[in-house]
Amino acid sequence: MASPEKSNSKMSVSMERTGQWVFSQEIPSDVVVEVGEANFNLHKFMLVAKSNYIRKLIMETKESDLTRINLSDIPGGPEIFEKAAKFCYSVNFDTTVHNVAALRCAAEYLQMTDKYSDSNLAGRTENFLSQVALSSLSGAVVVLKSCEDLLPMAEELKIVQRCIDVASARACSLANFPSRTPPNWWTEELSILDVEFFGRIIGAMKQRGATALTLAAGLITYAERWLRDLVRDHSGNGIKCSEPTDSDLRIQQRELLESIVVLLPAEKAAFPIHFLCCLLRCAIFLKASSACKNELEKRISVILEHVTVDDLLVLSFTYDGERLFDLDSVRRIISGFVEKEKSMAVFNGVDCRGVSSSAMQRVAKTVDAYLAELATIVEFSISKFNGIANLVPKGARKVEDDLYRAIDIYLKAHPNLDEIEREKACSSMDPLKLSYEARVHASQNKRLPVQIVLHALYYDQLKLRSGVADYRNEPNAVTTRNQLQADVSLVKENEALRSELMKMKMYISDLQKNNNQAGTCSKSMGTKKPTFFSSMSKTLGKLNPFRYGSKDTSHIDDGHGVDVTKPRRRRFSIS
């Protein structure tokens, strides 16, 4: 409620303003007109001469002498009533595009029409509207803006509709035939309006045949003006989350965003994908309705082939750049694009499981680069990583080097994963689709699980064995993959067997050491002397020509000693 000092100051100001042209009549005022907190000391006969409404109040009153009239609900308030009173006193005042709508409504309220008095205020304002205000786009927009506070009377007097008709016609003409630079200056003019009036102008432009690109230009400018901190700031530094999403400001922004999305033209490719991604992030942040978010997701998925990594990152992080948003929207967008590509492939009679379109290949490359950017985030789980990576069809990645890079970054950023978790992180990658350079890197990568390393090492051997120069030319890749998996399992079994053999060797070595120690002790107790017969037996054994099991003695040289070392008995071993 206004303070007494403030009310008195307004009254004194109104008295001072009216005193300049009322008291000069040298006739005492006989009525006080109250408009809000302002009081106007006026003369009845001057007001009655122009206003049929005031005449009726004076004629129909039960008081013997009406001295106070309350007109607080007059359109435009005290400022507009003052101009209407000046008109009654034939005092000049300025009529502009800013006050003409309010003056027209006040004239209707006070019944200051030509039916009651010739050349009245209603006629004067109508002439200004048609000849001046509505002769240009800027004038029509300013008048329409002033009507926001004059409803519903401005609507009943057709002022709103006349402004919409002029503004839509002028905007279409300027869009088709620009008269000055920049060509889209008209979008800035329309952006000052309330979303309801702006929407009505967009609808009128549609009926006049405006193109989707023309409508998109107006909508982009409008969104960037009214959602500036949410749409135009892409640095991640514009908004801190201190403002709760249920505050009055956020509620107004949410309602505005949903109204803008409803106005989007049916042509889904009319908007840049970056703008749509910014709107979707805004919708997620403001917790907009599901219908609003679904519409934006569908529009993005239709033109996803033009998306960049930065566009996807816009959807993924909060405005402060510190936390991940829920990635469900990204998954739905990619899934929608894949379904669209599959439908087109079926319609064209193409096997979508084989060769993918160029658009699908571009999206696959972008998704892999996007995963590499998210891989360093601590809260980015393996299930979320694989959930996005597996959305891309296998045939869309001719070479999976980009996906391997994303997986390697993920394993490096999450060093505490065990063997099973690392295998899960690598499950979305096909080692057979790595280039030679990537396979060499993978074979030396200690972060990868053993199974992937074995795949990388063994695949080159399979290629050499089969004589195939490139996996893309293999006629039976499935057979090769099955053989590789079988061989890998065999190698794992051999590794286990080798480990067991090493344990057995160590055990036998320990036993031999113990036996040698026992033999040394027995020799120290007494050494057995060789007898005559044992010496003769050893001598004759050296001269035996058949000790190698061969009857051919031609190789024996009598002049040299014979090597009597016992040959080692060999058997098959994997060690």
Side-chain angles (χ1 to χ4, degrees):
M1 186 173 179
S3 61
E5 293 81 1
K6 187 175 181 180
S7 301
N8 292 333
S9 63
K10 288 186 176 182
M11 292 174 60
S12 61
V13 170
S14 63
M15 290 289 292
E16 181 180 354
R17 287 193 309 237
T18 56
Q20 297 176 0
W21 44 273
V22 174
F23 294 155
S24 62
Q25 305 292 330
E26 297 180 357
I27 301 175
S29 61
D30 56 357
V31 65
V32 177
V33 180
E34 300 176 356
V35 183
E37 297 177 353
N39 295 332
F40 297 88
N41 295 317
L42 302 173
H43 303 85
K44 294 179 183 179
F45 71 94
M46 298 294 294
L47 298 177
V48 169
K50 295 292 184 179
S51 174
N52 188 37
Y53 179 77
I54 295 178
R55 184 187 70 82
K56 289 180 180 179
L57 287 178
I58 296 175
M59 295 292 293
E60 297 174 359
T61 183
K62 296 181 180 179
E63 299 179 13
S64 58
D65 186 14
L66 182 63
T67 59
R68 301 188 74 86
I69 300 176
N70 192 325
L71 300 178
S72 296
D73 55 348
I74 186 174
E79 182 179 355
I80 296 302
F81 175 76
E82 179 184 355
K83 296 183 183 302
K86 283 184 176 181
F87 183 84
C88 294
Y89 282 82
S90 300
V91 177
N92 291 327
F93 60 90
D94 292 332
T95 303
T96 66
V97 292
H98 296 280
N99 62 23
V100 64
L103 285 172
R104 177 66 184 88
C105 292
E108 191 69 19
Y109 177 86
L110 295 172
Q111 298 180 13
M112 299 174 65
T113 62
D114 292 345
K115 292 182 179 180
Y116 181 72
S117 176
D118 294 335
S119 301
N120 214 332
L121 181 60
R124 175 177 173 178
T125 54
E126 281 291 341
N127 291 335
F128 186 88
L129 276 172
S130 58
Q131 298 176 12
V132 179
L134 300 183
S135 62
S136 65
L137 173 64
S138 300
V141 170
V142 172
V143 174
L144 186 58
K145 178 68 177 177
S146 67
C147 290
E148 294 174 2
D149 300 325
L150 301 173
L151 299 176
M153 183 170 287
E155 193 77 63
E156 296 171 354
L157 294 174
K158 307 297 183 182
I159 301 176
V160 172
Q161 190 58 48
R162 290 164 64 186
C163 292
I164 290 173
D165 292 341
V166 172
S168 60
R170 296 284 182 176
C172 288
S173 176
L174 292 171
N176 295 328
F177 308 101
S179 60
R180 66 185 188 187
T181 56
N184 287 338
W185 67 269
W186 58 272
T187 62
E188 294 288 346
E189 297 286 338
L190 297 182
S191 65
I192 70 172
L193 296 171
D194 178 79
V195 67
E196 181 181 354
F197 288 161
F198 177 78
R200 291 175 64 175
I201 291 180
I202 292 295
M205 292 177 67
K206 287 182 183 179
Q207 294 179 354
R208 292 179 180 274
T211 64
L213 292 177
T214 298
L215 301 178
L219 287 165
I220 291 173
T221 303
Y222 191 84
E224 290 181 345
R225 180 187 182 97
W226 292 97
L227 299 172
R228 181 181 298 271
D229 57 342
L230 296 175
V231 174
R232 301 190 73 175
D233 180 33
H234 314 312
S235 62
N237 300 319
I239 290 184
K240 301 301 179 183
C241 295
S242 57
E243 184 77 22
T245 55
D246 57 350
S247 64
D248 292 340
L249 174 62
R250 297 301 181 221
I251 292 174
Q252 293 176 2
Q253 290 176 333
R254 179 166 61 246
E255 293 175 351
L256 177 62
L257 174 64
E258 293 174 353
S259 299
I260 291 174
V261 172
V262 171
L263 295 175
L264 300 182
E267 293 80 356
K268 292 182 170 56
F271 293 89
I273 192 169
H274 183 72
F275 173 73
L276 295 175
C277 289
C278 290
L279 283 187
L280 181 54
R281 178 173 69 164
C282 179
I284 296 172
F285 174 74
L286 295 175
K287 298 181 180 179
S289 63
S290 298
C292 175
K293 290 187 286 188
N294 291 339
E295 176 63 23
L296 292 172
E297 290 170 1
K298 291 178 182 178
R299 289 178 176 272
I300 296 174
S301 64
V302 169
I303 55 176
L304 190 62
E305 60 187 282
H306 303 294
V307 76
T308 64
V309 177
D310 291 338
D311 295 334
L312 293 178
L313 290 176
V314 164
L315 296 175
S316 305
F317 288 95
T318 55
Y319 283 93
D320 53 16
E322 298 177 356
R323 295 181 295 107
L324 275 177
F325 271 143
D326 188 1
L327 299 179
D328 289 341
S329 290
V330 177
R331 285 196 291 267
R332 285 192 294 266
I333 289 170
I334 299 174
S335 179
F337 177 79
V338 172
E339 292 299 323
K340 184 202 75 169
E341 288 293 311
K342 288 181 179 179
S343 300
M344 292 179 62
V346 171
F347 179 78
N348 296 327
V350 179
D351 185 6
C352 57
R353 294 173 298 179
V355 180
S356 297
S357 65
S358 58
M360 188 72 253
Q361 294 174 15
R362 286 195 297 270
V363 170
K365 193 173 185 66
T366 304
V367 170
D368 292 343
Y370 168 70
L371 289 173
E373 293 292 333
L374 294 186
T376 58
I377 307 301
V378 177
E379 61 266 28
F380 192 40
S381 63
I382 296 176
S383 60
K384 290 181 179 180
F385 184 95
N386 288 335
I388 296 176
N390 291 329
L391 289 174
V392 179
K394 294 296 183 182
R397 296 186 179 101
K398 292 184 177 181
V399 179
E400 298 197 358
D401 290 5
D402 293 334
L403 181 58
Y404 166 66
R405 175 177 173 271
I407 292 174
D408 187 39
I409 295 174
Y410 186 87
L411 295 178
K412 185 177 181 180
H414 301 78
N416 297 325
L417 299 178
D418 57 26
E419 185 76 9
I420 296 177
E421 290 174 332
R422 284 185 290 156
E423 287 183 359
K424 289 181 179 179
C426 298
S427 62
S428 58
M429 179 181 64
D430 186 358
L432 298 183
K433 288 189 174 183
L434 294 179
S435 65
Y436 174 76
E437 293 78 7
R439 288 197 301 273
V440 172
H441 185 276
S443 64
Q444 302 172 359
N445 193 342
K446 297 180 180 180
R447 291 184 290 271
L448 293 178
V450 176
Q451 183 178 3
I452 300 299
V453 176
L454 293 175
H455 273 274
L457 288 172
Y458 205 71
Y459 180 62
D460 287 329
Q461 297 179 9
L462 283 180
K463 289 177 65 178
L464 292 175
R465 182 189 308 172
S466 60
V468 179
D470 197 326
Y471 68 87
R472 286 171 290 185
N473 298 325
E474 291 183 12
N476 195 358
V478 177
T479 303
T480 303
R481 184 177 286 104
N482 293 336
Q483 181 182 358
L484 176 59
Q485 293 175 353
D487 290 344
V488 167
S489 63
L490 181 59
V491 170
K492 285 188 174 181
E493 294 177 3
N494 288 341
E495 288 287 340
L497 180 58
R498 181 182 290 110
S499 177
E500 293 295 330
L501 289 175
M502 290 298 295
K503 292 180 181 178
M504 184 62 70
K505 286 181 180 181
M506 293 177 63
Y507 178 71
I508 294 174
S509 177
D510 292 339
L511 289 178
Q512 289 177 350
K513 288 181 181 179
N514 293 334
N515 291 336
N516 291 337
Q517 292 176 359
T520 303
C521 293
S522 63
K523 286 182 180 181
S524 63
M525 293 175 63
T527 302
K528 184 177 179 180
K529 296 182 179 180
T531 62
F532 172 76
F533 293 101
S534 63
S535 299
M536 289 296 296
S537 176
K538 290 182 179 180
T539 302
L540 292 173
K542 292 179 180 180
L543 300 175
N544 182 12
F546 303 106
R547 67 188 183 91
Y548 292 105
S550 176
K551 295 181 180 181
D552 184 10
T553 60
S554 61
H555 66 285
I556 299 177
D557 188 359
D558 294 336
H560 297 85
V562 180
D563 185 9
V564 295
T565 304
K566 186 178 179 180
R568 182 181 178 184
R569 296 179 62 189
R570 298 183 179 273
R571 62 180 178 83
F572 174 75
S573 173
I574 64 172
S575 59

